[in-house]
Amino acid sequence: MVYIQLNERQEKIIDIVKTSQPITGEAIAKRLKLTRSTLRPDLSILTMSGILDARPKVGYFYTGKTALNFISERIEKIKVSKVKSVPVVVDENTSVYDAIVTLMVEDVGTLFVTSDGFLSGIISRKDFLKNAIGGIDLNRIPVGMIMTRMPNIIVTFSNDSILEAASNIIEHEIDCLPVVEEVRTEKGEKKFKVVGRISKTTITRIFVELGKDI
Amino acid sequence: MVYIQLNERQEKIIDIVKTSQPITGEAIAKRLKLTRSTLRPDLSILTMSGILDARPKVGYFYTGKTALNFISERIEKIKVSKVKSVPVVVDENTSVYDAIVTLMVEDVGTLFVTSDGFLSGIISRKDFLKNAIGGIDLNRIPVGMIMTRMPNIIVTFSNDSILEAASNIIEHEIDCLPVVEEVRTEKGEKKFKVVGRISKTTITRIFVELGKDI
């Protein structure tokens, strides 16, 4: 991938095509009082970059794709499935104390909570801390009693773009999203199976990798 | 500015120039069994992007500027000073309990701790949680006793690039960096004043902004 600063002539060509499309290469050359072959490199840069579209025997069109956002195109292509981490999951009957130990041992910021193997809740360091200083009996209270419960959970799917996932993290002010697969139970209920984890750490890691072109 | 994905022929031209520089356009065309005019757009893309250099009557040179990493160039330019948040700071004599309350009220993941107004430590939700379930008297123990103490703190400066900061977050497996200014005390000691905060949230927000081209 290379990037090129458009020159004045190329900007002029874009203006001509914008106002007179479809227009042939010859007609553009005439307007600029140049030969067709002088313009060839300019036209090919403009078509290769996707700003102009060339249709045989018709001419050049303006695609509307001026300010190409390369970063966005690159980020859009990164799928959640490619970058997700292993989820850390506990059953909702686990005691708060045991859940905190799991959080510590696995060194994650968020636990996903399941009931019968399906996502039922989510709980973070912040929630645990609030409860730990709140004086509840951590050994007797199950994590299911203090977690954030479905359907108030923002989820992401393997096929989502990481930009969408990151966007949800910022918009909803959360640390972590469960990556889920939708399944139907025998009773026909829609449930989520947890298959991964996308956190701010995931995003920060991708940011560094993109920046260093790893 | 436009971005162009090099095609196979352009990559071949680069290889030819690399091994046979200086080489004329004609000679390149001959090697590829193409006409000079067919190659003209390719050669102009390669020179416009700075990968090849053309000297009249000598030929093409390879500049060594191959894999232009645009994302990296863009991210490198974002300075810590531009994106830092307001730091949340407590004195090291603050009780652990009061520090946790500050953390909750300010809704941050990490507190910076100061002594005489200079950075002396850092403490995160994880540290607090560990201590909260450890059975210490949160009201009697000062935060200075359980924090991570200088010089074991990774810091960042206003003029650093955000890529450097993000890189440090990933490498050292931390959530947050204090943005500091180096000052000399009256005794001539080097100390840090805390002027900001860079967290994984900061990085995730920039990631989204870059992706959406905000």
Side-chain angles (χ1 to χ4, degrees):
Chain A
M1 190 73 79
V2 296
Y3 67 102
I4 290 173
Q5 185 70 51
L6 292 186
N7 61 32
E8 214 179 306
R9 191 159 75 202
Q10 289 157 357
E11 300 282 4
K12 263 190 205 155
I13 294 171
I14 294 174
D15 284 339
I16 291 172
V17 176
K18 263 188 200 169
T19 55
S20 313
Q21 61 185 334
I23 181 167
T24 62
E26 237 137 308
I28 298 170
K30 217 170 176 180
R31 291 253 206 120
L32 292 171
K33 299 193 174 78
L34 292 167
T35 66
R36 177 83 181 78
S37 78
T38 309
L39 282 192
R40 195 168 294 133
D42 296 319
L43 286 167
S44 70
I45 283 169
L46 293 170
T47 48
M48 284 185 72
S49 63
I51 292 174
L52 299 187
D53 190 17
R55 288 184 217 156
K57 290 182 190 166
V58 183
Y60 290 91
F61 286 87
Y62 174 64
T63 62
K65 214 178 159 199
T66 39
L68 267 181
N69 181 350
F70 171 63
I71 297 187
S72 163
E73 287 191 10
R74 176 92 180 263
I75 294 177
E76 281 283 353
K77 275 187 204 141
I78 304 173
K79 295 290 176 200
V80 160
S81 55
K82 268 255 179 174
V83 294
K84 69 182 183 200
S85 317
V86 176
V88 180
V89 177
V90 296
D91 187 86
E92 55 171 76
N93 295 318
T94 312
S95 74
V96 172
Y97 186 88
D98 286 346
I100 293 176
V101 170
T102 303
L103 190 89
M104 295 287 186
V105 169
E106 302 283 348
D107 197 19
V108 289
T110 304
L111 294 180
F112 305 126
V113 186
T114 53
S115 168
D116 293 331
F118 300 114
L119 181 65
S120 64
I122 190 166
I123 186 155
S124 69
R125 268 185 207 144
K126 187 159 89 176
D127 305 320
F128 281 129
L129 187 56
K130 200 166 58 188
N131 282 282
I133 64 164
I136 65 163
D137 186 342
L138 302 178
N139 282 299
R140 296 182 64 118
I141 305 275
V143 77
M145 271 193 63
I146 64 166
M147 71 187 184
T148 300
R149 190 170 280 280
M150 284 288 285
N152 303 315
I153 299 175
I154 313 297
V155 299
T156 183
F157 297 89
S158 291
N159 209 33
D160 286 349
S161 109
I162 193 66
L163 180 59
E164 237 173 301
S167 215
N168 270 322
I169 286 176
I170 292 300
E171 192 184 327
H172 298 281
E173 299 185 13
I174 47 185
D175 285 329
C176 187
L177 298 172
V179 185
V180 297
E181 262 171 28
E182 201 178 288
V183 289
R184 293 261 170 195
T185 63
E186 283 170 28
K187 289 179 191 163
E189 286 175 293
K190 268 208 294 194
K191 295 272 188 183
F192 289 139
K193 269 188 69 171
V194 182
V195 297
R197 177 167 63 96
I198 296 288
S199 66
K200 287 178 190 166
T201 309
T202 318
I203 308 297
T204 305
R205 185 170 42 79
I206 297 170
F207 183 88
V208 172
E209 285 171 0
L210 286 173
K212 297 195 168 167
D213 203 18
I214 296 169
Chain B
M1 195 75 83
V2 297
Y3 315 99
I4 290 172
Q5 185 70 51
L6 292 185
N7 62 32
E8 212 179 308
R9 191 159 74 200
Q10 289 156 356
E11 300 281 5
K12 264 190 204 154
I13 293 172
I14 295 174
D15 284 339
I16 291 172
V17 176
K18 261 189 202 168
T19 53
S20 312
Q21 60 185 337
I23 181 167
T24 63
E26 237 137 306
I28 299 169
K30 214 169 178 181
R31 290 254 205 118
L32 293 171
K33 298 194 175 79
L34 292 167
T35 66
R36 178 81 182 78
S37 77
T38 309
L39 281 193
R40 196 167 293 134
D42 296 319
L43 286 168
S44 67
I45 283 169
L46 292 171
T47 50
M48 284 185 71
S49 63
I51 292 175
L52 297 188
D53 190 16
R55 289 184 216 155
K57 291 182 190 165
V58 185
Y60 290 92
F61 285 86
Y62 174 63
T63 63
K65 213 177 157 199
T66 39
L68 268 180
N69 180 351
F70 174 64
I71 297 187
S72 162
E73 289 194 7
R74 176 92 180 261
I75 293 176
E76 282 281 354
K77 275 188 204 140
I78 304 173
K79 294 289 174 199
V80 160
S81 55
K82 269 256 180 174
V83 295
K84 69 183 181 198
S85 316
V86 176
V88 181
V89 177
V90 296
D91 186 87
E92 57 171 75
N93 294 318
T94 313
S95 74
V96 172
Y97 186 88
D98 287 347
I100 292 175
V101 170
T102 303
L103 190 91
M104 294 288 185
V105 170
E106 302 283 347
D107 197 19
V108 289
T110 304
L111 294 180
F112 305 126
V113 186
T114 53
S115 169
D116 294 330
F118 300 114
L119 181 66
S120 64
I122 192 166
I123 185 155
S124 70
R125 269 185 206 144
K126 187 159 90 176
D127 304 321
F128 281 129
L129 187 56
K130 200 166 57 188
N131 281 283
I133 63 165
I136 65 163
D137 186 343
L138 302 178
N139 282 299
R140 294 182 65 118
I141 304 274
V143 77
M145 271 192 64
I146 64 166
M147 70 188 185
T148 301
R149 190 170 280 279
M150 285 287 286
N152 304 316
I153 299 176
I154 312 297
V155 299
T156 182
F157 297 90
S158 291
N159 208 33
D160 286 349
S161 109
I162 194 64
L163 180 57
E164 236 173 302
S167 214
N168 269 321
I169 287 175
I170 292 300
E171 191 184 325
H172 298 280
E173 298 184 16
I174 47 186
D175 284 329
C176 188
L177 298 173
V179 184
V180 298
E181 263 170 28
E182 201 178 290
V183 288
R184 291 259 170 197
T185 63
E186 285 169 28
K187 287 182 193 163
E189 285 174 295
K190 267 206 297 190
K191 296 273 188 180
F192 289 139
K193 268 188 70 171
V194 183
V195 297
R197 178 167 63 96
I198 296 289
S199 66
K200 287 177 190 165
T201 309
T202 318
I203 308 297
T204 306
R205 184 169 45 77
I206 298 171
F207 183 88
V208 172
E209 286 171 0
L210 286 173
K212 296 193 168 169
D213 203 17
I214 295 169

